Amino acid sequence: MTALLRFFAAGADAPPITDRAEIDRLYRHHRLRVMIAITLGYGLIYTCRLALGVVKKPLIDQGIFTPVELGIIGSALFYTYALGKLTNGFLADHANIRRFLTVTFLITALCNLAMGFATTVWVAALIWGLNGWFQSAGAPSGVVAMTAWFSNSERGRIYGIWSTAHSIGEGLTFVMVGSLAALLGWQFGFWGPGVLGLVTALGCWWLLRDRPQTLGLPPVAQWRNDRYSTEAKGSAGSVLRTQLSILKIPAIWVLAISSALTYVTRYAIDSWGVLYLQEVRGYSLPMAGTLLMLSTLAGIAGAIAFGFISDKWFATRRPPANLLFAILELAGLLLIFFGPASTVTLVAGMLLFGMGLTGLVTSLGGLFAVDIAPKRVAGAAMGVIGVFSYIGAAIQEHVSGALIESGMRIVDGHRHYDFGPAIWFWIGSSVLSMLLAASLWRTRLND
């Protein structure tokens, strides 16, 4: 255990480099590599989290799992993800991010390969829950790397770019996993992401490095001549005390509940959207995946737009941007579920929903918390928000599965679904999230 902890521990500071030109060169070189690793790498590994949602119809049609059983399996990932995001968020503040992220990516890839062989509920739930635990290290590790290599004045824009990872992963999942499952069977819906995850882990090991100070570089705020705080330094004990101090910030708790409600809607669409489009709208699996991919493409624009709008238009204030993007999300949901029954309307709804939701996930799911909390403990702030967010996602999985199964009828050998109660559950969660986020209107970032 001691050797394991030593392997994952953050490296010691190297002797400071004094050549300004060399400092500039190393920062430019490694900042680009860090952004590629935490954005593209996290996006690719995301496919290992969402595969189950795409293959639900084949699993139901072949009699392998019922909707309720799929809700149990899906919720296993969210519960372990919630707990893991808290613990891994705290650990990430102390860890060598290169090693920490690579190993967790490797194990989540192996879990997906194993899922292709799981046909009993308890085995699938165990593997998928283990996958959730190791998936949970991705976001806090990415944020810790980001705050180490990018300063306060650029965080909103950089965080917005990084948040496109969610959309990249979702889009790849809907298209790649959907196509593999349709052509080769549901097993390949897990094996494809598993192989991609192995390649991603190797790429992250090659691209990432530990904190700038371990390379002899000054802290990033000092390098950029931004406001520099000594809170970036400190012993493990002082870091732990700072981590625990975020629990005393009321806005963190309000933000956590608001994020949980947003994650209800987010993972409702990710987990059940393909099934809805197939059963209610009559689309094929590849076409349903393509339609959902449109929302993820809009999400890339939404994540980047949120960072720029909140930084530039609202002077780093997140609440006005939160309200703007919540309205876009709700408009998209209403078009998807209650708009005219046409593909054009559905596409418009997906675009609005994707842009609005991803902007909210960017803010409520992390950026706003990092703004509020001390910068040295960004991972812990992400962890606290993550616990609530993914408990919300897990509860959604249970409730949605039960509501959908209760509305399922078999007529002449064909399944018919009533998604109405589930849809109102999803929309109501988004409305409550918007109201809670608006209550933080006067909250500002922690310098």
Side-chain angles (χ1 to χ4, degrees), residues 50-75:
L50 300 177
L52 180 65
V54 178
V55 299
K56 280 181 174 175
K57 180 173 170 56
L59 290 170
I60 293 171
D61 288 347
Q62 294 179 36
I64 299 172
F65 300 121
T66 67
V68 167
E69 289 172 336
L70 287 170
I72 293 170
I73 297 167
S75 67

Side-chain angles (χ1 to χ4, degrees), residues 34-46 105 161-162 164-165 168-169 172 200 204 207:
V34 165
M35 279 305 297
I36 293 173
I38 65 175
T39 303
L40 184 58
Y42 189 43
L44 294 176
I45 210 68
Y46 222 75
F105 280 5
I161 294 171
W162 173 74
T164 63
I168 292 170
L172 278 175
T200 301
C204 284
L207 289 169

Side-chain angles (χ1 to χ4, degrees), residues 46-48 50-51 54 168-179:
Y46 222 75
T47 62
C48 292
L50 300 177
V54 178
I168 292 170
E170 289 168 354
L172 278 175
T173 301
F174 295 136
V175 174
M176 180 188 75
V177 176
S179 298

Side-chain angles (χ1 to χ4, degrees), residues 6 26 98 126 129 142 144 214 235 262 277 285 326 330 353 356 382 408 416 422:
R6 192 162 48 242
L26 287 173
R98 182 193 189 197
L126 180 63
V144 168
T214 64
S235 66
T262 291
L277 291 174
L285 177 54
L330 284 169
F353 169 76
M382 287 287 292
M408 185 178 69
H416 297 270

Side-chain angles (χ1 to χ4, degrees), residues 77-362:
L77 180 144
F78 293 130
Y79 284 125
T80 56
Y81 193 100
L83 179 60
K85 199 164 185 182
L86 177 63
T87 56
N88 288 326
F90 274 70
L91 289 173
D93 286 326
H94 303 269
N96 180 321
I97 294 302
R98 182 193 189 197
R99 296 177 177 179
F100 194 56
L101 201 60
T102 299
V103 171
T104 54
F105 280 5
L106 176 63
I107 297 177
T108 193
L110 295 176
C111 287
N112 271 254
L113 294 175
M115 276 295 287
F117 301 97
T119 56
T120 57
V121 175
W122 73 268
V123 172
L126 180 63
I127 296 171
W128 210 234
L130 188 65
N131 181 36
W133 176 272
F134 288 100
Q135 278 276 336
S136 69
S141 298
V143 169
V144 168
M146 189 190 316
T147 55
W149 288 93
F150 297 90
S151 66
N152 283 6
S153 64
E154 54 189 343
R155 186 187 307 116
R157 301 183 295 282
I158 296 301
Y159 198 105
I161 294 171
W162 173 74
S163 289
T164 63
H166 306 95
S167 299
I168 292 170
E170 289 168 354
L172 278 175
T173 301
F174 295 136
V175 174
M176 180 188 75
V177 176
S179 298
L180 285 173
L183 293 173
L184 303 173
W186 66 266
Q187 294 93 337
F188 285 86
F190 291 111
W191 292 339
V195 172
L196 184 60
L198 295 177
V199 175
T200 301
L202 291 174
C204 284
W205 177 261
W206 175 60
L207 289 169
L208 277 175
R209 291 296 180 270
D210 201 359
R211 298 172 299 111
Q213 291 91 321
T214 64
L215 301 179
L217 298 171
V220 65
Q222 183 176 323
W223 173 65
R224 281 180 51 84
N225 295 318
D226 286 354
R227 289 187 295 263
Y228 176 55
S229 172
T230 56
E231 72 178 2
K233 305 176 182 179
S235 66
S238 66
V239 171
L240 179 59
R241 285 192 296 272
T242 307
Q243 287 176 323
L244 295 176
S245 72
I246 66 178
L247 300 177
K248 300 178 182 178
I249 303 174
I252 288 287
W253 294 98
V254 176
L255 182 58
I257 298 172
S258 178
S259 180
L261 291 165
T262 291
Y263 272 61
V264 166
T265 310
R266 175 190 178 187
Y267 278 101
I269 302 301
D270 280 349
S271 294
W272 303 100
V274 170
L275 183 65
Y276 169 81
L277 291 174
Q278 288 175 289
E279 296 294 348
V280 177
R281 295 300 186 97
Y283 291 106
S284 66
L285 177 54
M287 186 59 186
T290 300
L291 285 168
L292 282 171
M293 184 194 68
L294 293 176
S295 75
T296 67
L297 293 176
I300 293 174
I304 296 173
F306 187 96
F308 277 89
I309 288 172
S310 61
D311 271 3
K312 297 297 186 181
W313 291 8
F314 300 116
T316 72
R317 293 192 64 229
R318 314 305 175 193
N322 290 340
L323 181 59
L324 173 62
F325 280 77
I327 292 171
L328 289 178
E329 183 218 6
L330 284 169
L333 285 173
L334 294 174
L335 277 178
I336 291 169
F337 295 121
F338 303 110
S342 69
T343 301
V344 173
T345 302
L346 193 57
V347 167
M350 288 292 179
L351 294 176
L352 288 173
F353 169 76
M355 178 172 286
L357 178 82
T358 309
L360 290 175
V361 169
T362 298

